[in-house]
Amino acid sequence: MLKLFKEIRKTGDATVGYPFTPLEMPAGFRGKPEHNEKLCIACAACAIACPANAITMELDAEQNYLTWDISYGRCIFCGRCQEVCPLFAIELTTDFELAVTNKEDLRESCSYGVARCARCGKPYAPAKEVDYARRVLAGVGGSAAADIEKVDLCLDCRRIDDAEAFAHQAPERGEE
């Protein structure tokens, strides 16, 4: 019997001590998605890509705020949200222990302001996304930066501007 205990001691543990010691996860493990509110531009790419509809984006009744919401109870930890995020605002962590006593503890949300059209006042996009587009166009420069003021217009007002510009160009080109 003593020989058996010596052999066990020499061999070591055959299992991991998981509940009592932290479990080390392998590289590439897909755990709980962590959302960085400061990096996010509220483009909704993650909400569109989420196959489980765990991520949603909703406009409030007054259309002043867009609410980003994730339900970890629905999340299948597939990583699509991380893949499609253009600014890397979502990162999968190694956290996988999400046991809670209240279902509402499995939700996280944040709100983003909505930009309004400079001409008609209609809400048309998240303000952070408009600011990001403005910065990108300014960084590109050239003809892209020449139309930077159009970023502040909704799609309908941009169409009207484009139609008016085309109408002014048509007589110059000899078209009627």
Side-chain angles (χ1 to χ4, degrees):
M1 183 82 135
L2 190 58
K3 188 175 182 182
L4 176 64
F5 286 126
K6 285 182 181 178
E7 188 66 31
I8 291 172
R9 191 172 186 176
K10 185 173 100 178
T11 304
D13 292 335
T15 61
V16 295
Y18 163 60
F20 307 108
T21 61
L23 188 61
E24 292 201 22
M25 304 313 294
F29 179 79
R30 295 184 305 212
K32 175 185 171 188
E34 193 69 38
H35 178 250
N36 186 334
E37 187 176 344
K38 290 180 170 81
L39 289 177
C40 182
I41 58 171
C43 66
C46 56
I48 293 167
C50 184
N53 291 331
I55 300 174
T56 59
M57 295 190 83
E58 294 180 7
L59 196 58
D60 70 334
E62 294 84 32
Q63 298 186 338
N64 292 327
Y65 292 98
L66 185 67
T67 303
W68 183 94
D69 185 65
I70 185 167
S71 172
Y72 293 114
R74 291 188 61 92
C75 183
I76 58 174
F77 307 110
C78 65
R80 289 287 299 140
C81 54
Q82 179 182 0
E83 292 172 6
V84 300
C85 185
L87 295 178
F88 309 105
I90 297 179
E91 184 178 336
L92 296 181
T93 64
T94 57
D95 296 342
F96 64 94
E97 297 172 320
L98 302 177
V100 294
T101 55
N102 184 2
K103 188 177 179 179
E104 286 305 309
D105 292 340
L106 288 174
R107 298 188 85 80
E108 284 185 25
S109 65
C110 59
S111 295
Y112 298 96
V114 175
R116 295 192 173 270
C117 179
R119 186 174 297 153
C120 68
K122 183 172 80 172
Y124 68 99
K128 285 184 79 173
E129 187 175 19
V130 173
D131 290 338
Y132 175 72
R134 189 178 290 111
R135 288 192 314 268
V136 168
L137 287 174
V140 170
S143 63
D147 289 336
I148 204 163
E149 72 276 352
K150 287 190 177 185
V151 172
D152 295 323
L153 300 176
C154 68
L155 187 58
D156 293 334
C157 291
R158 275 189 247 157
R159 285 183 181 145
I160 292 168
D161 274 3
D162 290 345
E164 289 173 357
F166 181 75
H168 284 51
Q169 289 177 356
E172 294 172 9
R173 294 190 303 194
E175 299 175 13
E176 291 193 34

